[in-house]
Amino acid sequence: MEDMKKYSPKEVDSIKEKDHIQLIDVREDEEVAQGMIENALHIPLGEIQDAYTDLDKDKEYIMICRSGRRSYNAAAFLQEQGFNVANMSGGMLEWPGEIIIK
């Protein structure tokens, strides 16, 4: 497998509004209920294998979780499926930006 591209939370905060980038939060429902990054798509890790066929291969996906481990696994799976994907290292524990409560 190719090396996994990664961004720091600070880098993600500065590029998250770009049209070609989609953030995907793979945390569980109870975790995202505590707050998530605005405009991030919520797809729990356990649902990635069923949901990935609805994703656009022309976008870059940045995967997010609490600490960076689950999102790495999700990113590795999507990378194997041919997606342009990166992991947000450090996860929401290191997120410097605003969050929204849904």
Side-chain angles (χ1 to χ4, degrees):
M1 181 193 310
E2 298 175 34
D3 287 340
M4 178 65 59
K5 188 177 359 175
K6 65 182 176 181
Y7 292 109
S8 71
K10 187 175 179 180
E11 289 172 317
V12 172
D13 195 25
S14 70
I15 64 172
K16 70 182 185 306
E17 302 297 328
K18 294 187 177 184
D19 287 339
H20 71 284
I21 291 179
Q22 174 66 61
L23 307 180
I24 298 180
D25 192 323
V26 299
R27 296 177 297 156
E28 297 301 320
D29 292 341
E30 56 274 5
E31 293 173 292
V32 298
Q34 298 172 18
M36 63 187 290
I37 301 169
E38 188 171 14
N39 297 323
L41 182 61
H42 177 224
I43 305 174
L45 180 60
E47 297 176 18
I48 287 287
Q49 290 186 334
D50 294 328
Y52 83 92
T53 56
D54 295 329
L55 300 177
D56 181 353
K57 285 199 174 181
D58 292 331
K59 289 192 177 271
E60 178 179 2
Y61 294 95
I62 301 175
M63 310 307 285
I64 300 164
C65 72
R66 180 177 172 273
S67 66
R69 186 168 306 235
R70 285 176 287 172
S71 56
Y72 179 88
N73 292 337
F77 172 77
L78 289 178
Q79 186 171 289
E80 288 173 0
Q81 309 313 311
F83 286 88
N84 180 11
V85 65
N87 186 38
M88 185 173 88
S89 60
M92 291 300 289
L93 290 174
E94 296 182 18
W95 178 248
E98 293 185 27
I99 60 170
I100 60 165
I101 307 292
K102 290 191 173 191

